[in-house]
Amino acid sequence: QITLKESGPTLVKPTQTLTLTCTFSGLSLSTSGVGVSWIRQSPGKALEWLALIAWNDDKRYSPSLESRLTITKDTSKNQVVLTMTNMDPVDTGTYYCVCRRPGTNNWLDPWGQGTLVTVSS
Amino acid sequence: DIVMTQSPDSLAVSLGGTATINCKSSQSVLYSSNNKNYLAWYQQKPGQPPKLLIYWASSRESGVPDRFTGSGSETDFTLTISSLQAEDVAVYYCQQYYNFPLTFGGGTKVGIK
């Protein structure tokens, strides 16, 4: 069974850098085809894909946020870290990490429970 | 970016009735090399993360009831929920994975009439 859990600060100030960690079990980022994405959802709004890192260290970013995002992996710890710089109140929302299982394509399953991040001074 | 547009924004259906949700992509998500549509559907209940229902536009994820049916091709897709149950009250999203950035529709809220 694959499980993912997001962790990080619940409150950040404007202009600060957000660092979120996704810790997963039941799969390895050294396995061919495996990937982890970050998705966010503003309160009451739709889903927005942010970034993906794959087993081979291939990285993809949302073009609209690419200048602010960095995604990295620590295979030995089964962790993926997302950093987002220059946080703004519009970045408030729930941040999910999501798996791409081996043998699948870029549909998203399973999802972590999400972590709510509020940007406020 | 491929823009995904869902309709309607919300609908209310009687228990046992049929809900039809539409999703339109701004360009085709059909790969001619393998004849597959790179489209998925998700269900999100309040306070929960989304759950995968359908991939390849019409392939049901394991454990998903067969009252959920995905159809369509190229730019026009439909999620049909037959024999609507109270537990189906949720917001439904489509997502294209034809290319990056991965993009989602705006969501359709399904309620009970």
Side-chain angles (χ1 to χ4, degrees), chain A residues 37 39 41 45-49 52 58 60-63 96 100-101 104-109 111-114, chain B residues 1 38 40 42 44 47-52 54-56 61 93 95-97 100-107:
Chain A
S37 276
I39 311 286
Q41 186 170 35
K45 298 287 180 63
L47 301 159
E48 180 182 15
W49 175 82
L52 164 85
D58 183 28
R60 305 293 181 115
Y61 294 100
S62 168
Y96 297 98
R100 182 181 75 194
R101 289 174 281 147
T104 69
N105 207 286
N106 284 307
W107 59 82
L108 301 163
D109 178 72
W111 296 59
Q113 282 299 307
Chain B
D1 299 7
Y38 283 55
Y42 301 85
Q44 186 177 31
Q48 296 184 18
K51 172 191 169 185
L52 176 70
I54 303 281
Y55 55 94
W56 296 134
E61 173 69 346
Y93 295 94
Q95 176 232 335
Q96 67 79 21
Y97 49 96
F100 288 96
L102 307 180
T103 49
F104 294 85

Side-chain angles (χ1 to χ4, degrees), chain B residues 2 21 32 49 53 63 72 74 113:
Chain B
I2 298 177
I21 301 167
S32 56
L53 296 176
E74 297 193 52
K113 187 186 295 182

Side-chain angles (χ1 to χ4, degrees), chain B residues 8-21 84 89-90 108-113:
Chain B
D9 292 337
S10 64
L11 73 160
V13 177
S14 301
L15 287 171
T18 298
T20 301
I21 301 167
L84 191 82
V89 169
T108 295
K109 187 173 185 178
V110 174
I112 303 295
K113 187 186 295 182

